[in-house]
Amino acid sequence: MHNRKVKYNSSDSILSSFPSDPLQSSEFRLLRAGSGDAMHHLSLLLLGFIISLHLCTFASSTPLPTLTFSCSDSSQPDPLTLIPDRLTIVISGHSPRRLPLLRRIILSLSTHPSVHSIFVVWSNPSTPLSLLYSSLPLSLPSISLVPLPSSSLNLRFFPLPPIQTRAVAISDDDVSVPHRSLSFALSLWQASPTSLVGFFPRSHDLDISRRDWIYTVHPGRFSILLTKFLILDRDYLWKYSCSENYVKARFLVDKERNCEDILMNFVVAMEGGTLPVLVDAGGVRDWGDPRNRIGGNVSEVALSDDSGELEGIEVKKVGLSSRGEMHWRKRGECIREFHKLLGKMPLRYSYGKMMQGVREQALCQKGGKIVSCDHEE
C-alpha cells in the first residue's frame, strides 16, 4: 500500500472554502466577529488544515511525493490540459453501512470506457481506515480514497488537483447509474458544458401567502438538480469552493449541515447563466429511497451483469434527506437565505427533459394484453 498525501497548510483554507489568505478574507473576519460557536467552528476548520489527508490506493509500497494545494490558481491544473472527452466521478461517502453497495457501484462505474478516475471522498472521520481499505476496490489504479478530517458538506465540491478531466460527476454513495444512461448524460453535458446535467429534479417556488421561498417538486418544471448524481464543469468546483462571492453562503451550508447542492445550483446559475438539463434515462436507482423497501427487509445488492446495472432491494436510509418534512422546510429556508446573501434569485425554470431514445406511444392489444405497439412478444 502507498499513500498519496495531500497536505493542507494552516495558511491555506479549503474546508469551508476560504480564499488562499484566510486572515485577510471576509469569511475569517465574519467568524472572528461572531459568537463562541463561530470561533469553535473556525478552530475546527484550521485544525482540519493541519491534518494531512491521504489519497489512499493499494499499489506500490513506495510513497508518492507529498502534494500541497489550496485555492490559489497555482494549485490547479492548466484548463488547457484537462481531458475533454473523459469523466471523473467524485463520490461522497459517509455511512459504513453503505460500503457493500458503494463497492459494487464503484466496480460498475470503473468499467465504463469514458470514466477516467473515481475519487471516494469519505466525510466520516470516525470510520476506521482499515474498514475502508478492506471494503473498497482500492487496488484498481483509477480508484482513490480521500478520507476527510471533517464532515463539512462543502468539501464534496472541492476541486481536487488530481482531477484531470473537464467533466466531473458528483455522486452520492447510494446511487447507481447504468453505463448506457451515464453515456447519454455525458453526451448531453458535452453538448452544453456550462449547464448542470442530472437525473433528480427539484424546484424553488414562492409561497405567496407567506411571502417566502419554498423547496418543492413540480410535475412540469424544475429549477434545481440534486447532487445525487450530476455532471458539471470542473471550473464550477473552483468557483463554489474558492470564490469570495460565496463565502457567507458556504458558511451557511456548514452551519445548517444542509443545502450544499442548492448552493451549487445557485453558483452555476449565476456563473454560467444556463438552465439545468434533466436526463430521462432508464435504470438509474437511488438505493437510499425508502420506496426501495420490500417488507421492511434489507437485502444485499448485487451486480446483475457487466452492463453496469445493479439489482437488489434496499439499502437502509441514513442520509440527511431521510428527515422528512423538516428537511424540506429547512431547504426552503436555505433558498431564502442564499437569495438574501447573493442579492439575486438566479434560479430559472426548465420545462423539458432529454430522453434516451424515442418509441411509439400508441397502445395495441397483443396476446390479450394492452401494451405498447412496439412491444414484442
Side-chain angles (χ1 to χ4, degrees), residues 142-164:
S142 62
I143 314 301
S144 295
L145 171 66
V146 187
L148 302 177
S150 163
S151 58
S152 171
L153 295 175
N154 285 315
L155 270 179
R156 70 181 307 191
F157 297 133
F158 186 76
L160 298 168
I163 294 176
Q164 301 175 36

Side-chain angles (χ1 to χ4, degrees), residues 281-306:
V284 178
R285 292 289 300 271
D286 175 6
W287 294 97
D289 192 313
R291 289 170 293 184
N292 284 307
R293 297 176 183 174
I294 299 177
N297 295 320
V298 179
S299 175
E300 181 181 1
V301 180
L303 282 173
S304 58
D305 52 38
D306 60 359

Side-chain angles (χ1 to χ4, degrees), residues 119-134:
F119 293 90
V120 180
V121 178
W122 194 262
S123 62
N124 186 349
S126 65
T127 306
L129 288 179
S130 58
L131 177 60
L132 298 178
Y133 294 158
S134 62

Side-chain angles (χ1 to χ4, degrees), residues 55 114 141 157 164 166 168 188 210 214 243 272 285 302 321 361:
L55 291 173
S114 294
F157 297 133
Q164 301 175 36
R166 184 181 176 190
V168 180
L188 293 174
R210 295 168 45 215
I214 61 172
S243 172
R285 292 289 300 271
S321 58
Q361 300 298 310

Side-chain angles (χ1 to χ4, degrees), residues 197-214:
V197 175
F199 300 94
F200 300 92
R202 297 290 186 270
S203 293
H204 74 298
D205 205 348
L206 186 63
D207 186 330
I208 301 298
S209 62
R210 295 168 45 215
R211 293 187 171 184
D212 203 1
W213 294 110
I214 61 172

